[in-house]
């Protein structure tokens, strides 16, 4: 447990992705912050299983405060109707980023009120049953799945069900179990416009397999991370 605590203590002060030359200390990323809340939830479960309810409650309070004092202030600009993915502490600037990486926050137990409504507004603006992956782009396992879990948590069950079905359809049609998926316009055999789907990034990757497995389980009412 202690290594996980040390990591989360560091992550709370460094809520950003670091990869190669992409290392900006003043960057704050909603995607990463949502992951922190998820990880804290599992840390609480570990402590509860170990019988240490005091530590579980302590980390629950840390998560609640982080959401209120950091996430809400960084990613929900008062002059915007929708949240953003990036905030820069040195300049106070925002960057919209990827909508799917923002929507993961819907799975948190903390989000409510106007912040929930702003995020649902963003989700519905891109949601389109005529599109690949229901209109959501740059589909990776954790972003799509925690968005689906978020739709279920927030009562948007039709959106969740359609995203599950679309993900199973589109990952299968891509013909590759890889890291990330996108829809792209092309031509069919008769020269008509057609939205195909392709895989990019690491290939093969467990991400694609997990998208298939997790969504088949969800269709059967099984939350693997909840034990049933």
């Amino acid at each position: 447990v202690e290594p996980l605590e040390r990591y989360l203590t560091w992550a709370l002060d460094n809520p950003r992705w670091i990869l190669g030359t992409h290392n900006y200390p003043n960057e704050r990323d909603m995607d990463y912050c949502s992951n922190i809340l998820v990880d804290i939830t599992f840390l609480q479960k570990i402590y509860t299983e170990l019988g240490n309810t005091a530590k579980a409650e302590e980390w629950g309070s840390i998560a609640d405060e982080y959401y209120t004092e950091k996430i809400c202030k960084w990613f929900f600009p008062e002059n915007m109707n929708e949240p953003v993915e990036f905030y820069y502490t040195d300049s106070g600037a925002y960057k919209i980023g990827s909508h799917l990486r923002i929507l993961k926050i819907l799975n948190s137990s903390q989000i409510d009120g106007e912040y929930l409504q702003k995020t649902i507004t963003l989700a519905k603006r891109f949601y389109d049953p005529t599109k690949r992956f229901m209109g959501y782009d740059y589909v990776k396992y954790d972003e799509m799945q925690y968005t689906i879990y978020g739709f279920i948590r927030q009562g948007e069950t039709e959106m969740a069900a359609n995203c599950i079905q679309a993900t199973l359809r589109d990952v299968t049609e891509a013909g590759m179990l890889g890291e990330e998926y996108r829809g792209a316009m092309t031509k069919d055999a008769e020269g008509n416009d057609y939205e195909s789907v392709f895989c990019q990034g690491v290939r093969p990757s467990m991400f694609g397999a997990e998208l298939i497995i997790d969504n088949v389980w969800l269709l059967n009412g099984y939350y693997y991370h909840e034990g049933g």
Side-chain angles (χ1 to χ4, degrees):
V1 179
E2 289 181 358
L4 182 53
E5 273 202 331
R6 289 198 300 270
Y7 159 70
L8 284 170
T9 299
W10 175 87
L12 288 166
D13 291 329
N14 297 274
R16 58 198 173 89
W17 295 109
I18 302 171
L19 179 62
T21 59
H22 186 101
N23 184 2
Y24 307 121
N26 296 308
E27 184 178 78
R28 301 292 179 263
D29 188 336
M30 170 80 97
D31 184 39
Y32 199 96
C33 288
S34 295
N35 285 348
I36 291 173
L37 295 181
V38 170
D39 290 343
I40 289 177
T41 298
F42 284 108
L43 178 62
Q44 290 179 272
K45 289 182 179 182
I46 293 170
Y47 271 127
T48 299
E49 288 295 320
L50 294 174
N52 195 337
T53 55
K55 288 293 286 186
E57 291 173 0
E58 176 186 336
W59 275 97
S61 297
I62 290 171
D64 292 345
E65 182 179 1
Y66 196 72
Y67 168 78
T68 302
E69 297 300 322
K70 303 296 185 181
I71 292 176
C72 291
K73 293 179 180 179
W74 287 339
F75 307 114
F76 290 87
E78 292 183 0
N79 62 340
M80 297 178 66
N81 294 323
E82 297 174 348
V84 298
E85 182 183 355
F86 297 103
Y87 174 73
Y88 297 90
T89 58
D90 55 341
S91 64
Y94 301 99
K95 189 166 70 174
I96 294 174
S98 166
H99 47 270
L100 203 54
R101 293 171 187 164
I102 298 170
L103 297 180
K104 288 167 61 176
I105 195 67
L106 289 171
N107 184 60
S108 74
S109 62
Q110 290 83 10
I111 192 167
D112 62 4
E114 65 173 307
Y115 303 112
L116 172 59
Q117 292 307 312
K118 285 185 174 184
T119 309
I120 291 293
T121 296
L122 176 68
K124 291 184 175 181
R125 181 160 69 88
F126 284 97
Y127 178 80
D128 185 346
T130 70
K131 300 285 188 180
R132 295 291 185 177
F133 298 102
M134 292 292 115
Y136 300 122
D137 208 357
Y138 296 104
V139 172
K140 286 188 177 183
Y141 172 70
D142 68 322
E143 281 92 352
M144 178 57 90
Q145 291 312 109
Y146 280 110
T147 296
I148 290 172
Y149 303 157
F151 287 155
I152 295 171
R153 177 187 286 272
Q154 306 305 337
E156 300 289 349
T157 54
E158 181 177 345
M159 294 176 73
N162 286 337
C163 283
I164 292 169
Q165 297 280 9
T167 298
L168 289 170
R169 176 197 66 200
D170 295 339
V171 170
T172 301
E173 188 169 329
M176 171 66 72
L177 297 177
E179 178 185 8
E180 186 173 72
Y181 296 88
R182 296 189 66 192
M185 295 306 299
T186 184
K187 299 286 186 181
D188 63 18
E190 298 177 353
N192 300 311
D193 289 336
Y194 171 74
E195 188 180 18
S196 64
V197 60
F198 70 96
C199 178
Q200 63 187 27
V202 178
R203 292 163 291 174
S205 168
M206 285 294 295
F207 282 12
E210 289 162 346
L211 279 167
I212 294 290
I213 294 167
D214 196 357
N215 283 304
V216 168
W217 283 344
L218 284 175
L219 281 180
N220 287 275
Y222 180 74
Y223 264 32
Y224 82 94
H225 56 290
E226 296 291 347

